[in-house]
Structures are given as C-alpha cells and as structure tokens.
Amino acid sequence: MMRSPLALAMTAIVAWSLIAPVSKLALVSLNFYNFLFISNVISCVAVGVAFAVMCRGNFARLSPVRRTNQVAMMAGVLDCMFYLGIYHGYRISNGVAVLIAQYSWPVLIVVLSAVFFHVRPTARQGMGLACGVLAIIITISHGDPLHIGLGHPGALGLVVGGALCFAVLSVLSKYYMDDALAGTVWLFVTSTLTSLAVGAAAGGISLPPAAALPTLVLNGVAINGLSYIFWIVALARGNAVRISALVFLTPVLSTLWLVMFFHEPFLPAYAVGLCLALAGGLLCMRGNAAES
C-alpha cells in the first residue's frame, strides 16, 4: 500500500470525484436501489478483506457490543440514506447542479453543531454559512432568483436531505475514529442491510444486467469501498486538518468529468455556485480547525 498520506488522500479524492459520473453511467441501466445495494455488497467484501489483512488476527475488534462499532452501525444507516438521496438526484436532474447542492454538507455540519451541541459558529463559519446558502440559491435558480428548480420538484429536497445525512454521519464518525477500520466494516454492513430493506420494500432489488457489472465493481471496490480505508489511513498518518481540506477538490474534479464526458450544460451560475460552495466549505472547516 502507498505510504505517503498525501498520495493516499488524493487517491481517495479522485475516487470520490467519480461518484457523479459513475452514478449517471450506472443509472442508465439500473435503478438507484439496486445500484446502491449491489455496490454496498461489493464494498463489504472489499473492506472486509482489507480489514482481515490489516487487523493482524485481532477479529475481536469487530465485536458488535463495542460502543464504537455501534456508533458506526448508526453511521451506516445514514450512509445509505445519503447515497439514496444523491443517486436519485443524479437520476432525475442536472449532474452539476446536484453536485453543488450535495456539497452543502460542511455548512450543515456547522448548523448541526450549533443546534444540538451549542457550538457557537466563529466569524469564519458564519461567512461560510452565508456562502453555502448563496451557492444553493444561485445554483437552483440558474442565476435568476425568480426561477427556482433543479429540473425536478423533489430533486433539491432529495439531495440536501442526503447532504444532511452525510453531515450527521461526519459528526458521528468522531466517535468511532479510535478504531475506524473496524467501524468502516460495520458502516458498510449496516448500509448494505438498510439498502436491502429499503430496496426490497420499493421492489427495486433484482439481478443486474451483465453489462453493468464492471461499473458496479468499480463503484463497490474503489469508489465506495477501499477509498474509505485510504482516507482513514491518510488522516491517521498525516496532518488531519490539512488533509481534510483536500476534500473540496472533489466537486471541482467531478464537475470536470461531468462536463467533459457527459456534456453536462455548465451555466455561468454553476461556476459561481461552485466557487461559493468551495469557499463556504473551506471557511467552515477552517473555523473548526481554529477552535480545535
């Protein structure tokens, strides 16, 4: 495995930047319930193998009675809801617009911290919140506040709801970072079970077409599987604050892939919204770093 924290982190960032284009590609032949469930099954196998290789025989770390693993189980449910929201959004709306709304999660972390943990936002975080709100307004209005919409009435709610789930997941992740590798295994186990339950209830679980298997394997192993391990190891080996800031390269790369390979329309308003989303996220994260 790569030893440089920066190389590990950038590998994860590039993998995550492929979520949007791979989702749009897969959702041509799969419904989002099936896509998420099968990808989760593959991720479980990939992360389980990685844990078996790295745990040095200490499988007791996977005990479900450990509090850290129980927190990771709750995070797994949120992980499933996050991906269901954004996959549905990518299925029914413009990919660049969905991407910008998806990256409202750093702003939502600040809001959650203020509401539930009574953490007063710093001046930088206040500016970040304002940038995040403006990014969403400009994006969904296409630069015209009198025209609000992502191309589908429910798309905004689905994507922002998914971002809210990811924000809560990010807050919870602090409580299982003591053994994040075992926690990641449980995260994918519970995300898989949740996606199975939701997909079965919606009648969306079935055998995928053979043509979709390469995309499913790529998504399950690299994008939503081993990338988590790379990111965790990078945070453990390097400067966590600086490495965390790299995550804001993800929407830039994702936008590039969507425009280059899917010919997504890129309006001037999207460029403004993307810049504001990046600025808002960085301000919110830098505010957290200043407090810690």
Side-chain angles (χ1 to χ4, degrees):
M1 179 184 286
M2 293 171 288
R3 295 188 176 274
S4 166
L6 180 60
L8 288 165
M10 285 306 301
T11 300
I13 293 299
V14 172
W16 292 339
S17 75
L18 294 171
I19 290 175
V22 168
S23 298
K24 291 190 74 68
L25 183 63
L27 292 171
V28 172
S29 57
L30 292 168
N31 67 66
F32 47 89
Y33 298 110
N34 221 24
F35 179 44
L36 178 58
F37 170 64
I38 298 172
S39 293
N40 270 338
V41 171
I42 297 171
S43 295
C44 273
V45 174
V47 173
V49 170
F51 178 84
V53 171
M54 300 172 68
C55 76
R56 299 177 181 177
N58 185 8
F59 290 97
R61 291 163 57 186
L62 289 176
S63 171
V65 301
R66 295 182 66 192
R67 184 169 180 79
T68 53
N69 289 338
Q70 292 172 353
V71 173
M73 293 177 198
M74 291 188 287
V77 176
L78 293 166
D79 179 75
C80 175
M81 295 299 105
F82 165 65
Y83 279 107
L84 279 178
I86 65 168
Y87 285 167
H88 197 171
Y90 284 125
R91 179 68 180 85
I92 63 179
S93 188
N94 174 274
V96 177
V98 169
L99 184 68
I100 296 170
Q102 174 188 336
Y103 274 83
S104 62
W105 62 264
V107 174
L108 294 172
I109 288 176
V110 176
V111 174
L112 290 171
S113 298
V115 173
F116 294 104
F117 300 102
H118 307 291
V119 178
R120 187 174 180 178
T122 64
R124 281 182 176 176
Q125 289 175 330
M127 292 170 60
L129 288 171
C131 286
V133 172
L134 280 174
I136 295 175
I137 291 174
I138 289 173
T139 300
I140 65 178
S141 67
H142 299 169
D144 178 6
L146 298 178
H147 174 250
I148 301 291
L150 280 173
H152 187 282
L156 176 62
L158 287 166
V159 178
V160 175
L164 177 62
C165 289
F166 192 84
V168 177
L169 184 159
S170 299
V171 173
L172 286 178
S173 67
K174 298 177 182 179
Y175 298 98
Y176 68 84
M177 283 301 290
D178 288 342
D179 192 351
L181 187 57
T184 301
V185 174
W186 277 111
L187 182 148
F188 278 110
V189 169
T190 51
S191 183
T192 300
L193 294 174
T194 305
S195 61
L196 173 61
V198 174
I205 303 297
S206 62
L207 290 175
L213 290 178
T215 306
L216 287 166
V217 171
L218 172 64
N219 194 64
V221 173
I223 298 175
N224 289 341
L226 296 181
S227 61
Y228 281 65
I229 305 296
F230 291 154
W231 185 253
I232 289 166
V233 175
L235 290 175
R237 291 181 180 177
N239 184 309
V241 173
R242 291 178 181 175
I243 288 174
S244 295
L246 292 174
V247 78
F248 296 106
L249 290 172
T250 308
V252 176
L253 292 173
S254 293
T255 301
L256 179 64
W257 311 146
L258 287 170
V259 173
M260 284 179 59
F261 299 114
F262 290 87
H263 307 291
E264 289 272 356
F266 189 77
L267 303 176
Y270 292 166
V272 176
L274 184 61
C275 290
L276 285 169
L278 289 169
L282 285 169
L283 285 167
C284 289
M285 296 291 284
R286 291 174 72 87
N288 285 331
E291 293 173 351
S292 58

